[in-house]
Amino acid sequence: MDVKDPGRTVQLELIIGARMRTRRRQLGLSQTDLAERLGVSFQQVQKYERGANRVAASTLLMAAQALGTSIAWLVGEESSGRDDDDDVFRALSRPGALEILEAFNAIPDPRTRTALLALAREMAAAGPA
């Protein structure tokens, strides 16, 4: 990574934040729960998860331990082997994205899920209002 490229640095913070949030949610932890484990406020965890604040190396280590994962996974160096992992985590870092996915997965009827997907695609194709 080119240290002088601020765009790549911001991208890394977004990836770390999205991975932290995804893993925290997988474990059923609240932001307050994680904040207590890290010794920071829940607002600070929110900032980490949005990529608004950089995560110090010591905090990254504590986060990996608290979330039962590795630093390499949090920074995107260790993945499932898929090249598009970063794209997925960037998409999940958008406000509401994870909630939409959880709600979609909770819809029991496959036809309703298909209809919702068609609606979302139609809205995306329409562009900004």
Side-chain angles (χ1 to χ4, degrees):
M1 174 184 296
D2 183 359
V3 178
K4 295 180 183 183
D5 184 355
R8 291 198 62 172
T9 302
V10 169
Q11 181 180 7
L12 180 60
E13 296 306 324
L14 290 172
I15 290 168
I16 291 170
R19 286 174 171 261
M20 284 178 67
R21 181 171 193 244
T22 301
R23 183 65 180 149
R24 175 183 61 77
R25 302 274 311 255
Q26 283 177 338
L27 296 173
L29 297 173
S30 69
Q31 289 178 330
T32 301
D33 295 332
L34 181 56
E36 288 173 1
R37 293 178 184 192
L38 300 180
V40 299
S41 68
F42 83 90
Q43 291 95 338
Q44 186 63 42
V45 170
Q46 286 177 330
K47 291 176 183 179
Y48 291 151
E49 290 183 355
R50 284 194 324 262
N53 283 9
R54 289 187 177 172
V55 182
S58 58
T59 304
L60 191 61
L61 175 60
M62 289 189 305
Q65 291 170 343
L67 296 171
T69 191
S70 67
I71 292 174
W73 186 84
L74 286 175
V75 299
E77 292 294 321
E78 179 183 295
S79 69
S80 63
R82 293 178 44 192
D83 292 336
D84 59 351
D85 275 353
D86 288 348
D87 293 337
V88 170
F89 282 105
R90 255 192 306 284
L92 288 173
S93 72
R94 295 186 115 170
L98 194 55
E99 290 80 2
I100 287 283
L101 181 59
E102 289 170 342
F104 180 85
N105 285 333
I107 299 170
D109 180 31
R111 291 178 301 157
T112 304
R113 285 193 307 272
T114 301
L116 180 58
L117 180 56
L119 174 63
R121 285 182 173 149
E122 193 67 31
M123 292 173 73

